Amino acid sequence: VSLDAHRSAYADDALLARADLILTFDAKNAAMLAARGIGHAPVALSAFVGVKEITDPYGHDAAAFAG
């Protein structure tokens, strides 16, 4: 699956309400979205890969996204 054309966007209330799944990079963002109380409970990506935390690369250069 290519995500080349994907761009992040603000998760407004309407988007959260219609989402089937809400994934975040880290627990901080999951907690922030959960506190809004809209839609499904967010899940941090780390829950799927067996690590405690995945650092959110937002705001960093391309090297941070490459991991």
Side-chain angles (χ1 to χ4, degrees):
V1 173
S2 173
L3 296 176
D4 289 340
H6 174 74
R7 297 294 175 260
S8 64
Y10 179 76
D12 64 21
D13 292 353
L15 178 67
L16 294 175
R18 69 177 187 268
D20 293 321
L21 177 65
I22 302 169
L23 295 173
T24 65
F25 270 100
D26 56 35
K28 177 182 173 185
N29 285 312
M32 180 185 66
L33 290 173
R36 291 170 60 184
I38 301 165
H40 297 282
V43 178
L45 286 169
S46 58
F48 294 99
V49 295
V51 297
K52 183 176 179 183
E53 192 81 12
I54 298 173
T55 303
D56 187 346
Y58 180 79
H60 297 280
D61 62 18
F65 285 85

